[in-house]
Amino acid sequence: MQLDLTPSTKLFVLTGAGISAESGIATFRDANGLWENHRVEEVASPEGFAASPATVWRFYAQRRAQAATVKPNPAHAALAGAERICGDNFFLATQNVDNLHEAAGSQRLIHMHGELFKTRCSDDDCTTLPFVDMRSSFAELPRCSCGALQRPHIVWFGEVPFEMLKIKRNVQACDIFVTVGSSGVVYPAAGLVREISFRKQNGESCISVYVGLERPDNADEFDHVVLGKAGEVLPTLFR
Ligand code: APR
Ligand code: ZN
């Protein structure tokens, strides 16, 4: 399959953990994935943080240490190349919290599930903004100047993903919708492709493509499913 891009092509891309797999970052639900070795509610929920902030910080510190050693792969580079063709008509929403899209040159992107290398105050009423934080070891639990604990700037289970209105607006306007490397089990991200199905039913011309190692849970919503490694498929997908 090949997708012809021009500067006027409105291209929307949603990425999941699968795009970073070839860089060496574990996915969540594959064999030996993160959720096989950690209990989600313990390390990725507000309740888990309240119960044991040290356990949560240990989990994210370990992920920071690992993510700091890896490099973007040809899939990240292919998306940066697509962005250079489509310019402001390109939109990337990533569920990933690593910084590999930025490292590959992507500029127009939203981290809808937060960012691993950012920390913020755990008090939602505090005016201190999230900040870049490369620390991957802590002698003691980090605290904000207001006295509250600091937390990873990550969207945990039960919390609302960032910038959903802007993301949905771009799904409504795109010509081509591509999802890369996501198992399609976590909403609202997994439901975005359904907007494309609705638009087509209303007579709009847009298409949806899934690229990944295996069929995702929401495979039936896509016009095309291209099975394969992101690092091998993406460099030849865009023309
Ligand atoms: N190339 C393409 N796809 C791949 C590759 C690869 N090299 N390796 C694995 N995959 C696919 C798997 O087949 C799987 O469908 O990537 C997908 C990864 O799925 P998940 O591990 O569920 O990751 P993701 O869909 O991004 O999870 C969504 O769940 O836990 C939350 O917040 C977390 O953002 C995450 C969200
Ligand atoms: Zn604070």
Side-chain angles (χ1 to χ4, degrees):
M1 159 151 232
Q2 287 209 301
L3 298 168
D4 291 320
L5 300 183
T6 72
S8 60
T9 307
K10 292 187 179 68
L11 173 60
F12 181 102
V13 182
L14 170 69
T15 58
I19 199 170
S20 296
E22 288 153 86
S23 293
I25 293 188
T27 62
F28 292 95
R29 296 171 182 84
D30 288 323
N32 202 24
L34 277 171
W35 298 149
E36 243 182 42
N37 304 314
H38 299 85
R39 284 161 45 81
V40 175
E41 51 284 351
E42 229 171 57
V43 296
S45 78
E47 297 75 18
F49 184 71
S52 172
T55 303
V56 171
W57 267 115
R58 225 183 344 270
F59 175 62
Y60 286 97
Q62 174 204 359
R63 290 180 67 191
R64 279 186 182 172
Q66 203 258 342
T69 63
V70 299
K71 297 267 177 285
N73 67 59
H76 296 103
L79 291 187
E83 180 177 357
R84 283 191 290 274
I85 297 171
C86 303
D88 286 340
N89 285 320
F90 178 87
F91 188 92
L92 171 58
T94 184
Q95 300 173 86
N96 300 341
V97 296
D98 63 55
N99 58 1
L100 292 177
H101 283 303
E102 293 88 335
S106 289
Q107 295 173 339
R108 299 171 180 85
L109 83 148
I110 283 181
H111 282 274
M112 60 189 294
H113 289 171
E115 296 180 65
L116 186 58
F117 291 108
K118 282 193 178 168
T119 293
R120 74 168 194 257
C121 181
S122 64
D123 178 349
D124 291 339
D125 298 330
C126 180
T127 53
T128 310
L129 294 174
F131 59 94
V132 174
D133 183 2
M134 306 306 283
R135 292 174 298 177
S136 58
S137 67
F138 298 90
E140 56 188 17
L141 289 175
R143 284 189 181 276
C144 174
S145 52
C146 75
L149 283 173
Q150 290 174 333
R151 59 167 280 180
H153 186 49
I154 299 281
V155 179
W156 284 328
F157 284 90
E159 296 184 322
V160 179
F162 297 139
E163 307 232 42
M164 280 309 294
L165 274 180
K166 187 172 178 187
I167 289 171
K168 281 209 173 134
R169 247 199 337 268
N170 281 274
V171 174
Q172 294 290 351
C174 72
D175 304 313
I176 303 174
F177 177 101
V178 179
T179 296
V180 184
S182 183
S183 58
V185 301
V186 174
Y187 286 77
L192 293 173
V193 62
R194 199 170 295 158
E195 303 280 332
I196 304 297
S197 312
F198 291 149
R199 288 181 54 201
K200 287 166 67 79
Q201 283 159 19
N202 292 335
E204 291 188 53
S205 70
C206 45
I207 64 159
S208 58
V209 181
Y210 180 77
V211 176
L213 267 193
E214 59 212 2
R215 287 178 65 80
D217 267 33
N218 57 351
D220 294 346
E221 296 281 353
F222 289 89
D223 296 314
H224 306 281
V225 173
V226 182
L227 295 183
K229 287 186 173 182
E232 291 166 10
V233 172
L234 283 198
T236 57
L237 181 69
F238 302 117
R239 189 165 52 184

